[in-house]
């Protein structure tokens, strides 16, 4: 009996497929996608190393050959039951292999709709669905023509086949566009190592960003999850993620989004497999930004997704690809997540030295903290400015039985990050010393010199214990600055 399931690029959340495959009694095989040397390849190699260090059983790892025929033969020789696409780098080869081997998947002839943003929007237009006006640009004259023809100043220049926001520029007016176009024309940053980067110039949408994830079989998509994104602009102008929230009870506007997303997946001709769709909702309603034909990234732990949704997406995709009947049953059940879940992304506003990370005791003291990672003073003495997903300084998952609790804690983290970032990461003392040096008693001196992480843990423990016993902070230090009182109030609010 065939028992091998090949995952093409098992990184990011697609790493979770390996456990799911084993849980179903099959043998996972990794096929690493081919990427030429460069930035993207270095990042991917780094991630593979981290992810593979968690594999505690013998596993076959193959490497894609740049010559497709060689890769096809290699996979054929394994005689696998299924080939599934893992990360974004595996979309083209994963789709092609499944098609050539007669396995479930969207036909490879439809690959343009799965990878080229210009083609995606043309298909939406053809289907009578809302789309974003755009054009391929090869020269500055093409850019000017688009500005004139659309009469818009707010545009987006991006790679037609791109990923991870590399080469995406949200610009206003001719000058900014010219700078972006010149920078990109001279850059050598094609994510997939393609010889020619094709550039797409689009109208810019101003709206709220959402994710709608689906899994299709036989041309019918089933909804797996919906998330709303929180983004922010950094001091240097980059737009980065600050978090996301599971949408458990869609509003009417969000129901319209889901309805549009299901139609968009069909319009793109995605018949069999997942779509991690990025959408925006503005006054006119929902519109697709791009469809990614693979599981949602971000490395969300399966256990976290299970708590939020009652299932995790890799498991649902795998079961759906193996069994149409499973997919039909999954599709027919109502969308009813079990618990509210959030992901909180952390960032650094600039390069900054750190000697303590209050974020660690704060997260550990929270009721809704599930798991995640943060850069911290135990690992580094310097944070680097966050400009994109790769340079964020942490990402943690939060879930709780009580939706109010997780919402409040998420909002508190957002508030502290925005207004009191030094509570989270700093190399200055946690509290401000009294100006009048004569007020610095030995006790106050001790507190000012104490490791802020230990201090935060102690203060939180004290509040959790109904503030019984001696206060951790003497009155004189509280009175030294309104800032000190504020820090105490914030910590109390977290308990
Ligand atoms: N036309 C647009 N209008 C507004 N924002 C956009 C537009 N295109 C892209 N963006 C923003 O830029 C981000 C990255 O663009 P996207 O096309 O998804 O590139 P990538 O393939 O690198 O993820 C999107 O998630 C969205 O926030
Ligand atoms: Mg995207």
């Amino acid at each position: 009996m065939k028992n091998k399931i090949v995952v093409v690029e098992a990184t990011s959340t697609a790493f979770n497929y390996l456990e799911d495959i084993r849980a179903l009694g099959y043998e996972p095989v990794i096929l690493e996608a081919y990427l030429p040397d460069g930035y993207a390849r270095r990042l991917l190699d780094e991630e593979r190393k981290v992810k593979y260090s968690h594999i505690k059983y013998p596993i076959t790892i193959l490497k894609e050959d740049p010559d497709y025929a060689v890769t096809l033969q290699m996979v054929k020789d394994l005689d696998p039951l299924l080939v599934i696409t893992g990360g974004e780098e595996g979309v083209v080869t994963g789709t092609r292999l499944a098609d050539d081997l007669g396995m479930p998947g969207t036909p490879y002839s439809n690959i343009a709709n799965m990878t080229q943003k210009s083609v995606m929007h043309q298909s939406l237009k053809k289907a009578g669905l809302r789309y974003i006006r755009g054009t391929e640009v090869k020269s500055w004259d093409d850019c000017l023509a688009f500005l004139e023809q659309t009469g818009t100043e707010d545009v987006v220049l991006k790679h037609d086949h791109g990923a991870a926001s590399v080469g995406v520029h949200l610009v206003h007016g001719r000058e900014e566009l010219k700078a972006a176009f010149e920078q990109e024309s001279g850059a050598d940053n094609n994510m997939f190592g393609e010889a020619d980067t094709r550039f797409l110039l689009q109208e810019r949408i101003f709206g709220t960003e959402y994710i709608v994830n689906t899994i299709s079989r036989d041309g019918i998509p089933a909804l797996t999850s919906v998330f709303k994104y929180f983004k922010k602009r950094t001091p240097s102008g980059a737009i980065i993620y600050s978090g996301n929230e599971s949408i458990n009870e869609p509003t009417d506007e969000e129901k319209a989004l889901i309805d549009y997303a299901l139609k968009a997946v069909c319009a793109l001709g995605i018949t069999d497999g997942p779509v991690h769709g990025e959408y925006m909702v503005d006054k006119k309603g929902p519109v697709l930004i791009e469809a990614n034909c693979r599981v949602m990234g971000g490395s969300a732990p399966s256990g976290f997704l299970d708590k939020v949704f009652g299932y995790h997406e890799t498991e649902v995709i795998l079961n759906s690809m193996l069994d149409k009947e499973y997919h039909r049953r999954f599709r027919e059940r109502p969308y009813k997540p079990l618990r509210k879940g959030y992901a909180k992304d952390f960032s650094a506003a600039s390069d900054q030295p750190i000697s303590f990370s209050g974020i660690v005791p704060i997260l550990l003291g929270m009721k809704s903290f599930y798991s995640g990672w943060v850069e911290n003073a135990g690992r580094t003495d310097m944070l680097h400015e966050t400009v994109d997903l790769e340079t964020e300084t942490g990402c943690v998952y939060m879930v709780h039985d009580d939706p109010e609790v997780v919402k409040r804690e998420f909002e508190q983290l957002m508030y502290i990050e925005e207004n009191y970032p030094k509570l989270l990461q700093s190399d200055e003392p946690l509290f401000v010393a009294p100006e009048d040096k004569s007020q610095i008693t030995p006790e106050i001196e001790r507190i000012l010199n104490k490791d802020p992480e230990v201090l935060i843990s102690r203060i939180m423990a004290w509040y959790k214990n109904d503030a019984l016993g001696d206060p951790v902070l003497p009155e004189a230090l509280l009175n030294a600055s309104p800032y000190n009182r504020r820090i105490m109030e914030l910590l109390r609010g977290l308990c």
Side-chain angles (χ1 to χ4, degrees):
M1 198 191 93
K2 292 177 195 256
N3 79 326
K4 294 191 177 72
I5 297 184
V6 179
V7 182
V8 188
E9 198 47 57
T11 40
S12 192
T13 315
F15 181 75
N16 297 349
Y17 278 124
L18 306 181
E19 274 312 309
D20 294 329
I21 290 169
R22 281 161 57 86
L24 289 175
Y26 299 107
E27 180 191 335
V29 173
I30 295 174
L31 175 62
E32 290 183 346
Y34 169 78
L35 275 190
D37 287 339
Y39 176 65
R41 166 72 182 276
R42 278 198 301 281
L43 287 179
L44 197 59
D45 279 342
E46 197 51 43
E47 205 204 324
R48 285 171 179 159
K49 229 191 316 177
V50 174
K51 285 284 196 288
Y52 295 176
S53 70
H54 298 290
I55 303 178
K56 304 292 179 219
Y57 47 89
I59 187 164
T60 307
I61 302 178
L62 306 173
K63 287 185 193 307
E64 177 184 1
D65 193 286
D67 178 350
Y68 174 72
V70 175
T71 305
L72 176 62
Q73 192 56 51
M74 191 160 60
V75 175
K76 245 189 199 161
D77 291 345
L78 280 175
D79 194 24
L81 176 65
L82 205 61
V83 173
I84 46 176
T85 295
E88 185 63 36
E89 303 81 2
V91 171
V92 173
T93 303
T95 305
R96 192 168 181 187
L97 285 170
D99 196 0
D100 285 342
L101 296 172
M103 292 163 181
T106 295
Y108 183 63
S109 55
N110 194 39
I111 197 71
N113 266 308
M114 302 169 77
T115 51
Q116 293 176 28
K117 296 165 193 185
S118 55
V119 177
M120 294 175 198
H121 287 275
Q122 284 305 314
S123 297
L124 294 177
K125 184 179 179 183
K126 250 186 253 156
L129 292 173
R130 184 173 172 201
Y131 66 101
I132 302 179
R133 283 189 295 176
T135 187
E136 190 185 336
V137 286
K138 292 195 166 122
S139 66
W140 174 238
D141 281 346
D142 291 348
C143 297
L144 279 181
F146 184 75
L147 291 187
E148 259 165 42
Q149 178 207 330
T150 54
T152 176
E153 293 269 278
D154 292 297
V155 289
V156 182
L157 179 72
K158 55 169 123 172
H159 296 191
D160 197 29
H161 182 202
S165 289
V166 171
V168 177
H169 299 261
L170 309 177
V171 295
H172 177 82
R174 280 182 185 212
E175 262 173 50
E176 280 184 27
L177 177 58
K178 183 138 206 216
F181 187 74
E182 278 172 3
Q183 182 192 331
E184 283 304 317
S185 316
D188 177 23
N189 60 355
N190 187 292
M191 279 294 283
F192 304 99
E194 294 154 344
D196 296 310
T197 301
R198 295 162 38 146
F199 295 105
L200 173 64
L201 185 59
Q202 275 187 334
E203 245 180 308
R204 178 163 175 195
I205 307 294
F206 291 89
T208 308
E209 219 166 306
Y210 282 90
I211 295 296
V212 180
N213 294 311
T214 57
I215 168 72
S216 299
R217 283 309 312 265
D218 284 345
I220 309 176
L223 180 67
T224 50
S225 52
V226 185
F227 297 90
K228 180 162 131 183
Y229 267 113
F230 300 91
K231 290 200 152 184
K232 67 176 187 184
R233 189 180 272 271
T234 66
S236 65
I239 294 179
I240 55 169
Y241 293 112
S242 54
N244 71 43
E245 166 189 20
S246 68
I247 297 299
N248 297 22
E249 286 162 26
T251 60
D252 285 347
E253 202 179 53
E254 288 159 352
K255 282 183 187 148
L257 161 73
I258 294 168
D259 185 52
Y260 169 87
L262 295 174
K263 288 184 179 138
V265 167
C266 295
L268 298 184
I270 313 302
T271 56
D272 295 84
V275 172
H276 163 56
E278 302 181 356
Y279 299 84
M280 271 202 181
V281 176
D282 64 9
K283 281 195 260 29
K284 288 195 260 173
V287 66
L288 178 81
I289 296 290
E290 64 154 344
N292 300 284
C293 297
R294 44 134 177 117
V295 66
M296 176 170 173
S299 294
S302 298
F304 165 76
L305 297 171
D306 287 341
K307 277 199 148 177
V308 176
F309 295 104
Y311 50 80
H312 53 279
E313 216 194 347
T314 46
E315 142 194 65
V316 175
I317 295 169
L318 192 60
N319 277 307
S320 296
M321 297 313 269
L322 286 167
D323 178 7
K324 287 184 193 176
E325 207 27 49
Y326 171 96
H327 181 262
R328 191 190 56 75
R329 285 196 308 274
F330 184 85
R331 198 175 74 220
E332 284 173 358
R333 57 210 279 283
Y335 176 71
K336 271 201 183 337
L338 305 177
R339 297 177 184 85
K340 191 84 177 160
Y342 287 81
K344 174 78 193 90
D345 299 273
F346 292 99
S347 55
S350 59
D351 289 354
Q352 60 191 83
I354 54 167
S355 60
F356 82 87
S357 302
I359 181 77
V360 175
I362 286 175
L363 287 172
L364 294 177
M366 285 187 144
K367 297 181 191 73
S368 63
F369 173 65
Y370 180 84
S371 73
W373 66 276
V374 284
E375 282 295 358
N376 66 74
R379 299 203 312 195
T380 177
D381 50 14
M382 192 76 191
L383 291 186
H384 295 285
E385 182 188 348
T386 303
V387 291
D388 56 19
L389 206 55
E390 298 300 338
T391 49
E392 64 179 30
T393 57
C395 178
V396 302
Y397 296 94
M398 304 167 67
V399 59
H400 196 272
D401 288 345
D402 182 347
E404 290 307 317
V405 169
V406 61
K407 179 169 190 284
R408 189 183 66 235
E409 291 191 338
F410 176 79
E411 285 170 355
Q412 283 168 325
L413 282 176
M414 294 281 258
Y415 177 83
I416 293 173
E417 185 183 48
E418 224 29 65
N419 300 286
Y420 295 88
K422 291 199 163 141
L423 182 56
L424 303 182
Q425 304 271 18
S426 181
D427 71 338
E428 291 167 24
L430 187 57
F431 294 106
V432 177
E435 252 176 56
D436 176 358
K437 297 275 179 288
S438 70
Q439 286 191 11
I440 304 183
T441 61
E443 187 196 8
I444 289 182
E445 175 102 46
R446 244 195 337 271
I447 291 174
L448 291 174
N449 289 332
K450 197 164 194 63
D451 175 353
E453 291 185 36
V454 176
L455 202 51
I456 291 171
S457 302
R458 188 167 300 166
I459 293 167
M460 289 182 75
W462 183 68
Y463 279 129
K464 281 189 178 162
N465 193 26
D466 298 328
L468 292 174
D470 291 340
V472 185
L473 228 60
E475 202 61 22
L477 188 49
L478 268 180
N479 291 336
S481 158
Y483 179 83
N484 292 355
R485 253 185 216 288
R486 192 71 194 109
I487 292 298
M488 290 299 277
E489 276 167 25
L490 289 170
L491 293 174
R492 189 181 59 205
L494 293 170
C495 296

